[in-house]
Amino acid sequence: MKKLDILKKLRSSGLRPTKQRVEIAKFLFERDKTFHFTIESLDKLLAKKTSSKFALATIYNTVHAFKEAGHLSEVEVRGNKSYFDTNVSNHHHFYDSETAELIDIDANDIVIQKIPKAPNGKKIKNVEVFINLKN
Amino acid sequence: MKKLDILKKLRSSGLRPTKQRVEIAKFLFERDKTFHFTIESLDKLLAKKTSSKFALATIYNTVHAFKEAGHLSEVEVRGNKSYFDTNVSNHHHFYDSETAELIDIDANDIVIQKIPKAPNGKKIKNVEVFINLKN
DNA sequence: TTTCACTTTAGAACAATTATAAACTAGTTT
DNA sequence: AAACTAGTTTATAATTGTTCTAAAGTGAAA
């Protein structure tokens, strides 16, 4: 993803392309593969890779803004920290609790044959499959 | 589940059956249906139902001890709080984010036809299906 | 270039959880 | 049954992840 696309992405989401947002967006979205992170890990990685230093609150603000805009998704992971994912399409995850690492599973690689219907007046919003790994 | 069984359950897990543990265990396990809770909700419910007042730390200690012993399971729910479940068999969940409520899905009510194999040297520990509900 | 709503920032505040250390107690030993 | 001891409970402090606040800064429109 090129810088121009990033500016477009931000503007089309109603997000003013500030220096911080552009740098964080470049870091997150200029990748071939899906990227999984927590705020803490992102903070550390940004501190290493970029010259500028962002306030922690800015990282929280930005990640939430990107999530609201649909550019990031949040993943269910047991524990206290929130995990985010640059893959916003419908998909699933392996989770390796040894390394606290998430691995994407393409939606097509899991086929569910039978599923219960939603309770009283509710609808199914989405189905997440979470596969815990062990050694 | 009778009181004697509860004493047995505790002792066989290497947990001394203290007054607090017995009361909390009775509250959690003397039920027909599965019970889902957070530490906060359990604390409130115990405060109402039982005459005695437990220290919050005791509730944390006890719930963790029961979880370690395999009498409770912890459920993946996005957000800051931990959810626990008295159903420790292999099963799945609906989650209603409107009410922050979990509903059990029997393992037999979900059939997965196709599943990817675990990555490099890892094995699958378990598969959790999480169905988010909307109105 | 001025203006102004939106952003960033440092630090305070908050919420969930874990750690601490003193008081207490179940169960064993005497 | 009294004493002992290791495990437990308790109130409180500490820690961790996250959100709030209010002052200073900045894109972009006029």
Side-chain angles (χ1 to χ4, degrees):
Chain A
M1 176 168 278
K2 298 175 215 67
K3 175 151 189 193
L4 269 181
D5 293 334
I6 282 190
L7 292 182
K8 200 181 294 173
K9 180 174 222 168
L10 292 177
R11 273 196 247 270
S12 68
S13 320
L15 295 171
R16 222 193 259 174
T18 63
K19 184 158 46 75
Q20 291 85 343
R21 282 176 179 162
V22 172
E23 270 203 69
I24 295 175
K26 280 164 70 84
F27 183 79
L28 290 175
F29 304 124
E30 285 183 347
R31 291 170 183 270
D32 294 327
K33 286 192 296 179
T34 291
F35 180 54
H36 298 106
F37 63 95
T38 64
I39 298 289
E40 189 193 15
S41 71
L42 178 59
D43 181 40
K44 280 187 189 148
L45 291 169
L46 285 172
K48 270 188 216 159
K49 297 246 177 164
T50 69
S51 44
S52 30
K53 164 72 187 147
F54 306 104
L56 190 55
T58 300
I59 299 178
Y60 274 98
N61 288 342
T62 303
V63 167
H64 283 137
F66 288 177
K67 186 193 159 191
E68 295 313 307
H71 304 317
L72 289 173
S73 64
E74 194 173 348
V75 185
E76 313 283 348
V77 180
R78 188 161 19 223
N80 31 337
K81 276 179 203 162
S82 294
Y83 280 73
F84 297 90
D85 189 342
T86 56
N87 182 349
V88 293
S89 71
N90 177 35
H91 69 289
H92 307 287
H93 293 97
F94 284 118
Y95 181 65
D96 185 345
S97 58
E98 299 279 323
T99 60
E101 204 181 351
L102 286 166
I103 301 167
D104 272 9
I105 300 172
D106 191 90
N108 299 318
D109 290 342
I110 292 186
V111 177
I112 297 177
Q113 194 172 51
K114 183 185 176 190
I115 205 160
K117 65 167 179 293
N120 51 321
K122 296 281 173 179
K123 288 178 191 158
I124 289 177
K125 189 200 290 173
N126 75 321
V127 177
E128 294 183 52
V129 179
F130 196 80
I131 305 182
N132 285 290
L133 296 175
K134 62 181 173 184
N135 290 320
Chain B
M1 176 167 278
K2 300 174 213 69
K3 176 152 184 189
L4 269 182
D5 293 334
I6 282 190
L7 292 183
K8 200 182 294 175
K9 181 176 221 169
L10 292 177
R11 272 197 247 271
S12 69
S13 320
L15 295 170
R16 220 192 261 175
T18 62
K19 185 159 45 74
Q20 291 85 343
R21 282 176 180 162
V22 172
E23 270 203 67
I24 296 174
K26 280 164 69 83
F27 183 80
L28 290 175
F29 305 124
E30 283 183 349
R31 292 170 181 269
D32 294 328
K33 285 192 297 179
T34 292
F35 180 53
H36 297 107
F37 63 95
T38 63
I39 298 290
E40 189 192 14
S41 70
L42 179 60
D43 181 41
K44 281 184 187 148
L45 291 169
L46 286 173
K48 270 189 216 158
K49 299 246 174 160
T50 69
S51 44
S52 31
K53 164 72 186 148
F54 306 104
L56 190 55
T58 300
I59 298 178
Y60 274 98
N61 288 342
T62 304
V63 167
H64 283 136
F66 288 178
K67 185 192 159 193
E68 295 312 307
H71 304 317
L72 289 173
S73 64
E74 194 174 348
V75 185
E76 313 284 347
V77 179
R78 187 164 20 224
N80 28 338
K81 276 179 203 161
S82 294
Y83 280 73
F84 297 90
D85 189 342
T86 55
N87 182 349
V88 293
S89 71
N90 177 34
H91 69 289
H92 307 288
H93 293 96
F94 284 119
Y95 182 65
D96 185 345
S97 59
E98 300 278 324
T99 60
E101 204 180 351
L102 285 167
I103 301 167
D104 272 9
I105 300 172
D106 192 90
N108 298 319
D109 290 343
I110 292 186
V111 178
I112 297 177
Q113 194 172 51
K114 182 186 176 190
I115 205 160
K117 66 166 177 294
N120 50 322
K122 297 280 175 180
K123 288 177 190 159
I124 290 177
K125 190 200 289 175
N126 75 322
V127 177
E128 294 183 51
V129 180
F130 196 79
I131 304 182
N132 284 291
L133 296 174
K134 61 181 176 187
N135 290 320

